[in-house]
Amino acid sequence: MEIRTIHANGVEFAYLALGDGPLALCLHGFPDTAHTWRHLMPALAERGYRAVAPFMRGYAPTEIPDSFEVGALVADVNALHEELGGDENAVVIGHDWGTYPVYGTTERFRRSVAMSVPPNKWLGRGRFLSYDQLKRSFYIFLFQTPLAESAAAAPDFLERLWQDWSPGYDATEELAFLKQSLGNPANLAAAIGYYKSILGTTPPSGRFTAEQAAASEGPVRPVLYLHGAQDGCLSADLVTDVAELLPEGSRAEIVEGAGHFLHLERPQEVNARILDWLG
């Protein structure tokens, strides 16, 4: 798919697009790119949507801005919805870091899908602080230190994350795309900047207070939540009650035989669940 550009929320975004019709905004996470949606986008286009997958702020060829806080991501999605001609029939799908703006913008979209990362309120239940989960999440704490960029730039660091998070999946193609987006040290530092912001190592800018609050409060309209049963990043055992944190009418489902990148590992099954939810 051809890479196009659009200016939104003060950032020059690069994006992939396919199809015509209501907007279907697809938001990738870490360490990933807009190409992660290459299985879902044709299915959305066939269903009659204009599927758009932006490279998130700081991921080349999108511009590197000066803030990576969650509120900025929410503001990005609000602006992309407007600039891309989104209306009341628009839908949004997010994975990993892409879920944060989904949870903060559900009022703008007819339907919303989030995968692999539950709402912020889940953290209040203390599940994240289990010993096993803290071991899985070592990289979050590493990224708060001066060693972050050097460690992440090691030849096999991102590859090993993919191996741990989606056991048995051949991520060769994803890693090639990732090298294009994060191969430059400035882009890699930007991706790490998301984690520095979320734990407060980088103080908030103060420019996105309302958007930050919306993400923290969580979705106000129903959400489809999907999680891989073999997710090596965030154990599926810890999110069995995630439906309790979602608005009435939501669905939370575990996808067997899939890890963290479930939409790449089990594309036909995940596509079917998403399309069924979109209606």
Side-chain angles (χ1 to χ4, degrees):
M1 288 174 277
E2 179 185 358
I3 295 178
R4 309 173 187 180
T5 60
I6 192 169
H7 195 76
N9 193 30
V11 179
E12 191 76 13
F13 283 91
Y15 68 92
L16 305 174
L18 190 67
D20 293 296
L23 176 66
L25 198 57
C26 303
L27 310 171
H28 73 82
F30 172 88
D32 208 351
T33 72
H35 295 284
T36 198
W37 302 111
R38 65 185 181 275
H39 301 302
L40 178 61
M41 291 177 73
L44 289 168
E46 186 175 349
R47 181 60 68 91
Y49 288 98
R50 182 190 180 203
V52 175
F55 293 81
M56 302 293 274
R57 57 171 48 212
Y59 284 74
T62 287
E63 184 181 2
I64 301 175
D66 62 356
S67 177
F68 302 98
E69 58 199 295
V70 169
L73 305 182
V74 173
D76 288 346
V77 170
N78 287 337
L80 286 167
H81 177 271
E82 294 176 5
E83 296 297 331
L84 291 166
D87 58 17
E88 68 278 3
N89 292 314
V91 299
V92 63
I93 302 105
H95 174 257
D96 191 80
W97 267 99
T99 65
Y100 288 91
V102 167
Y103 294 135
T105 61
T106 56
E107 74 283 354
R108 279 183 174 261
F109 294 92
R110 182 180 63 81
R111 285 288 196 177
S112 302
V113 180
M115 294 188 284
S116 302
V117 174
N120 275 351
K121 289 183 178 180
W122 176 84
L123 292 172
R125 301 196 166 189
R127 305 282 180 83
F128 180 77
L129 297 178
S130 71
Y131 184 82
D132 287 339
Q133 185 54 48
L134 287 172
K135 283 199 300 182
R136 295 185 191 97
S137 301
F138 80 94
Y139 65 99
I140 296 176
F141 307 105
L142 172 64
F143 286 173
Q144 312 305 313
T145 75
L147 300 174
E149 286 78 8
S150 297
D156 64 344
F157 187 91
L158 298 181
E159 179 181 357
R160 293 295 298 275
L161 286 185
W162 273 81
Q163 290 174 359
D164 288 346
W165 293 1
S166 286
Y169 176 69
D170 182 1
T172 301
E173 194 167 6
E174 276 63 48
L175 292 166
F177 288 132
L178 193 59
K179 186 175 182 180
Q180 296 172 15
S181 276
L182 298 185
N184 186 306
N187 294 108
L188 182 60
I192 291 171
Y194 286 55
Y195 292 95
K196 292 183 181 293
S197 292
I198 201 169
L199 287 190
T201 301
T202 301
S205 67
R207 301 198 305 270
F208 306 104
T209 304
E211 291 88 350
Q212 182 74 40
S216 297
E217 184 60 27
V220 297
R221 298 179 67 181
V223 174
L224 170 65
Y225 181 80
L226 301 177
H227 201 104
Q230 282 74 52
D231 192 323
C233 175
L234 179 60
S235 173
D237 294 340
L238 302 181
V239 299
T240 53
D241 59 350
V242 68
E244 298 174 11
L245 304 175
L246 299 173
E248 183 177 356
S250 297
R251 285 173 17 200
E253 301 174 358
I254 300 296
V255 178
E256 297 295 335
H260 189 66
F261 298 94
L262 62 167
H263 54 300
L264 287 166
E265 298 170 70
R266 300 292 297 271
Q268 292 185 343
E269 180 177 347
V270 171
N271 287 0
R273 294 187 190 222
I274 291 174
L275 293 174
D276 176 66
W277 174 255
L278 297 182

